[in-house]
Amino acid sequence: MFSSAVNIMIDFINVSKVYNGTDVKALDDVNLHIDKGEFVFIVGSSGAGKSTFLKTIIREEVPTSGEIIFDGESLNLMKPRKVPYYRRKLGIVFQDFRLIQTKTVYDNVAFAMHVIGAPQKDISRRVAYALSLVGLSAKAKSYPNQLSGGEQQRVALARALVNEADVIIADEPTGNIDPEMSKDIVDLLEQINLNRGTTIIMVTHEVELISKYNKRVIEIKNGHIISDTAHPEVFENAEAANEAAANTPSGYYHAPTEDAEIEKFLMNYGNEAQPDSETAQEDA
Ligand code: ADP
């Protein structure tokens, strides 16, 4: 099972997106290749198309024209009922954390594993490990509102990585936390990338923050990619990633679930916890 995921790549082929009722090209003829194990910053000013770019990767939006291929599969052609299964390959981190306020730190992370039908014995072991990776073992019994913004984002990161996601997508993950903590979050993403081979795609407008890292930076403006600094390190990471993936136990991507609440969680990615969220509910 996992072997098919070893070489996961993401390709954008002539992708454009025009939202219904508008004539603005939120994405305009985007061509792009992201290899397994890359760490990519996506930058651009407000309205440039960054969120739209991420939404097409998580299959919340479908291109108006062009095609996106993930791990050899066209996301355009993916049937809606397959989307929750597809999203099991992704860990998603949002600016507003999207933790479930009524659950403890431990249960927020464990919930992501319940959702995919993981066995109980794996849940306790892996949640403990994920919390230790983000340095929050001591806060396992706390509730989100007892934590700082940076700590809440670390819980969200633990949730994103507990299922061995192939790709972590982080949408302005440092947007709501103070600058010192911001660097901690990106450092953690970097560790996950280097140690586990997870592909990281992070949207940010914090140019000063990303200048501290030697990573690929893709700049979007008016829906176009206007620069892309693919870096040789990328290729070294891709090799390490393939090795790491080959040594990683298989995920639970194929564990079927009939539980409507769980499928809803995977469709909405925790949006029901924050019904006001703007990024919630468009589907093409
Ligand atoms: P960014 O994330 O870089 O701020 P977005 O991807 O959100 O940019 O937006 C790109 C363009 O698409 C903007 O012109 C924005 O107004 C438009 N847009 C985004 N979402 C929608 C939507 N749901 N309906 C209509 N237009 C949208």
Side-chain angles (χ1 to χ4, degrees):
M1 270 191 273
F2 204 90
S3 58
S4 67
V6 168
N7 289 311
I8 279 185
M9 293 178 273
I10 303 170
D11 279 296
F12 276 61
I13 305 163
N14 303 122
V15 171
S16 294
K17 173 71 187 179
V18 180
Y19 286 99
N20 286 341
T22 73
D23 53 8
V24 178
K25 283 196 166 174
L27 293 178
D28 189 359
D29 200 24
V30 170
N31 286 285
L32 181 66
H33 174 84
I34 298 176
D35 219 340
K36 171 73 189 166
E38 283 200 50
F39 189 129
V40 185
F41 288 117
I42 309 288
V43 301
S45 54
S46 181
K50 305 181 299 295
S51 299
T52 303
F53 175 77
L54 290 190
K55 284 180 187 175
T56 60
I57 296 180
I58 69 173
R59 188 46 170 77
E60 190 173 315
E61 295 290 348
V62 178
T64 313
S65 61
E67 195 168 29
I68 301 169
I69 311 281
F70 185 104
D71 194 18
E73 187 177 4
S74 167
L75 296 188
N76 302 46
L77 301 175
M78 186 177 283
K79 300 235 163 43
R81 68 184 160 74
K82 290 192 79 185
V83 170
Y85 292 89
Y86 163 62
R87 290 193 183 152
R88 291 173 191 191
K89 300 180 186 183
L90 312 174
I92 309 186
V93 179
F94 299 93
Q95 180 172 5
D96 56 3
F97 320 135
R98 300 207 192 168
L99 301 177
I100 300 169
Q101 297 298 321
T102 53
K103 288 186 193 288
T104 62
V105 164
Y106 179 94
D107 286 337
N108 263 281
V109 180
F111 187 61
M113 292 191 76
H114 286 299
V115 158
I116 60 167
Q120 191 58 44
K121 66 173 172 32
D122 286 1
I123 293 179
S124 39
R125 184 173 51 82
R126 285 172 58 176
V127 172
Y129 179 62
L131 288 178
S132 72
L133 278 182
V134 300
L136 281 181
S137 304
K139 302 272 181 170
K141 291 185 180 154
S142 301
Y143 286 86
N145 66 11
Q146 297 172 313
L147 304 179
S148 72
E151 287 170 333
Q152 291 188 58
Q153 195 58 296
R154 275 148 61 196
V155 178
L157 256 181
R159 180 177 64 183
L161 61 87
V162 74
N163 287 327
E164 307 276 357
D166 297 304
V167 179
I168 288 184
I169 290 174
D171 190 0
E172 299 270 9
T174 58
N176 277 344
I177 54 190
D178 49 45
E180 309 92 82
M181 285 288 201
S182 296
K183 182 147 188 317
D184 287 352
I185 294 292
V186 185
D187 286 350
L188 267 172
L189 285 167
E190 183 176 47
Q191 275 174 36
I192 294 164
N193 171 250
L194 293 174
N195 298 340
R196 302 159 72 92
T198 309
T199 305
I200 311 282
I201 302 173
M202 172 173 157
V203 159
T204 183
H205 62 269
E206 293 175 68
V207 175
E208 199 185 320
L209 178 66
I210 67 175
S211 68
K212 299 189 169 109
Y213 298 86
N214 196 11
K215 305 292 180 201
R216 181 176 178 186
V217 180
I218 295 173
E219 185 174 2
I220 303 183
K221 187 175 181 184
N222 297 332
H224 288 287
I225 292 182
I226 57 166
S227 68
D228 181 349
T229 64
H231 187 270
E233 183 196 345
V234 157
F235 302 105
E236 286 162 31
N237 280 357
E239 271 176 33
N242 283 339
E243 262 173 47
N247 294 323
T248 304
S250 168
Y252 299 95
Y253 307 144
H254 303 281
T257 168
E258 299 294 322
D259 187 317
E261 190 199 357
I262 282 173
E263 290 304 314
K264 190 164 158 243
F265 176 82
L266 276 167
M267 282 307 282
N268 297 335
Y269 253 97
N271 279 343
E272 59 264 67
Q274 306 222 359
D276 292 333
S277 167
E278 279 178 18
T279 53
Q281 302 292 351
E282 308 117 23
D283 215 335

